[in-house]
Structures are given as structure tokens and as C-alpha cells.
Amino acid sequence: MPWLFLAPALVLFALFKYVPMVEGVRLSLYEVRPFLGDVWVGLDNYASVLTDPLFRTAAGHTLLLALGTTFGSMLVGFGLALLLEGQARTLWFVRSAVFLPVVTAAAVVGEIWRMLYYPAPDGFVNTLLSWVGLGPWPFLDSPDTSLWSVMAVGVWKGAPYDMVIILAGLAGIDRQQYEAAAIDGASVWQRLRHVTVPALRPVASILLTLAAIRGLRVFTEVYVLTGGGPANSTTVWMTTLISRGFEKQDIGVASAAAVLLFLVTLALTVAVRVYRARKEIG
């Protein structure tokens, strides 16, 4: 009976997830020629990806963006969680307001920030910067600032999600530990360092995994904000993959790039799980 109820979902997963994944692996081994017949090339597509300067540049940008958004979101989310922790009834409204960026479509977020980043002196962000004597900055229009501007949007969108998970972790900490530390004369900073942070290590490992995967697969924000420009300064793995597959019609190489991204993501997930298992055993 359970399999009967699971069957519709399993069929949908097979048709729209697993079958396309297997087909992607198959296409990565061919030179795809629609209506002319595919030609077997083996691992040549993978070699093309690994030796392509644009893909190497995109890999560096993706890694930098993933690291920045991952740790930035965790730090900001941790700060928000500390500020919004508690049982007060009014906190639910503030938490809901802070969480809105997570449930907002990434394309909408990108479009809003593209307008906020308007590079003229009367742009919204530049106006705020002018109040403290800074700017105007070009933000998305300069190769020197575009990647950092995209990273800031990623942190803004990801931090509330991390906040919710950290709040769940904070709720599981025994309050008597804080009271005992306070009686022993520990300051607020010492309680935060020696009680809160160690208790949140399991939560941190989960956040690292989820945020790193989210960072490696970033696409929509970059595509909406910059499209990979200017001068390829914000091109990431996914934008390069999409460009290669749908604009240049090089489906085989694009499929190989997608498979490589999947393998990196899988390796990262397995590594974190093994690390957590060893920590629990130790």
C-alpha cells in the first residue's frame, strides 16, 4: 500500500528528474548534432570544459561567490538569530518580515536590486552612500565591483534562511548552561564563544552544506543582475553552461559541464557527511 501512494510521485521524479539526468550523462559523451545523428567523442567534451579559459574563469568566480555568500549569509544569519531570539509574541512579525527575501522569487530579487544599484548619483544605494560621504559607485557596471555587488545580493537573500535554522539550534540549547556560565563570571562574549557557538556546530555543518550547494548552483541572480558581464567579470559556471548549450548549441560540452558540477556538489555533500559522522563518533 505505501508504494501505491508513492507511485505517482516516483513516476514524476523518474520522468522529470532521473531520466533527464541519465540523458545528460549520455549526451556529455557525444557531439550532439540534431537531425544529423550524434557522434561518439568519449571524454573529449570533458577535456574541452577543463581546458576552456572561460570555464576556468567561471569556476573561479563561482568558487569565490560560493565562499562569500556561504560565510556571509551564516554570519549575518547568526547575528539576526541572536537579535530575534526569544518568546515575545511580537517577534513573529519581525521574523516573518526578515524571512521575506527567501520566499521571494530570485528573478524578482535580482530585478529589484538591479534598480537599487543604479550607478548614477541619484540611485537608491548611491544616495544612501552619499549621506556618509561615499560614492557614487558603479556597482554592476564595473568589472571591479560587479562580483562583490552580486555577492551582497546573495548574502541578503540567503541570510534569513540561515537565521531560521540557527534559531532552531538556539532553541535547543539548555538555558542552565548560560546561567551557570554567568554565575562563574563569564561575560556575554565568553558565553557566546564557549556555550552558543559549540552548541551550534551541528547546525553549522548543515548550513555549510546547503549554502555551498546553493552557491555553486547560483544562476538566476547573476543572469538577471549582469548576465555574466561586464567583460565576463561575473560569469559563473551556470551562466557559461547555459550560454554554451543554448546560445552556441554545443549541447555535448554543456552536458559535460553540468555533470562536472553535479560531481563536485556530490563530493562536497559526501565530504561534509563523512566529517560530521567522524565528529559524532569522536
Side-chain angles (χ1 to χ4, degrees):
M1 186 62 69
W3 289 107
L4 180 62
F5 285 102
L6 288 173
L10 293 176
V11 170
L12 291 175
F13 265 90
L15 289 177
F16 297 104
K17 192 176 184 71
Y18 299 119
V19 171
M21 287 174 63
V22 173
E23 181 67 7
V25 174
R26 186 191 72 82
L27 291 175
S28 70
L29 303 173
Y30 287 85
E31 177 188 353
V32 180
R33 303 187 305 172
F35 309 112
L36 297 176
D38 299 340
V39 178
W40 170 268
V41 295
L43 299 178
D44 288 352
N45 288 331
Y46 293 90
S48 297
V49 172
L50 296 176
T51 57
D52 189 332
L54 186 57
F55 269 109
R56 289 203 297 267
T57 300
H61 291 162
T62 303
L63 182 60
L64 180 60
L65 204 58
L67 289 173
T69 55
T70 296
F71 290 104
S73 297
M74 288 181 64
L75 287 175
V76 176
F78 181 64
L80 290 173
L82 292 178
L83 290 173
L84 299 179
E85 183 193 15
Q87 303 297 325
R89 293 182 178 181
T90 54
L91 284 178
W92 72 268
F93 177 78
V94 180
R95 289 173 182 169
S96 300
V98 172
F99 192 73
L100 281 178
V102 179
V103 298
T104 306
V108 175
V109 170
E111 187 63 28
I112 291 174
W113 274 96
R114 192 175 65 83
M115 293 186 290
L116 295 177
Y117 276 145
Y118 187 65
D122 58 346
F124 182 81
V125 178
N126 274 327
T127 299
L128 296 180
L129 292 175
S130 68
W131 294 351
V132 292
L134 298 176
W137 287 355
F139 295 113
L140 302 175
D141 289 356
S142 171
D144 297 328
T145 58
S146 54
L147 189 63
W148 304 105
S149 300
V150 173
M151 187 184 298
V153 176
V155 172
W156 180 83
K157 183 172 173 57
Y161 180 84
D162 293 356
M163 175 199 72
V164 171
I165 298 181
I166 294 173
L167 279 172
L170 291 174
I173 300 176
D174 187 357
R175 299 297 163 180
Q176 293 182 355
Q177 297 183 38
Y178 291 113
E179 296 173 1
I183 293 173
D184 290 339
S187 63
V188 174
W189 167 249
Q190 289 173 326
R191 278 176 277 171
L192 184 66
R193 178 182 176 185
H194 297 291
V195 178
T196 306
V197 173
L200 290 178
R201 283 176 181 171
V203 174
S205 63
I206 295 173
L207 287 178
L208 279 173
T209 305
L210 296 176
I213 292 173
R214 185 173 65 230
L216 291 174
R217 297 172 56 188
V218 63
F219 169 71
T220 307
E221 296 94 328
V222 175
Y223 188 79
V224 174
L225 286 168
T226 64
N232 292 326
S233 60
T234 59
T235 183
V236 291
W237 195 267
M238 286 296 296
T239 57
T240 307
L241 186 158
I242 295 297
S243 174
R244 195 67 177 263
F246 293 98
E247 294 177 9
K248 297 182 179 180
Q249 297 297 312
D250 200 345
I251 303 297
V253 173
S255 298
V259 172
L260 288 174
L261 179 61
F262 168 75
L263 293 176
V264 170
T265 305
L266 179 63
L268 177 64
T269 305
V270 172
V272 172
R273 289 181 65 87
V274 170
Y275 174 78
R276 287 184 60 196
R278 289 181 178 178
K279 281 290 185 181
E280 291 174 359
I281 294 174

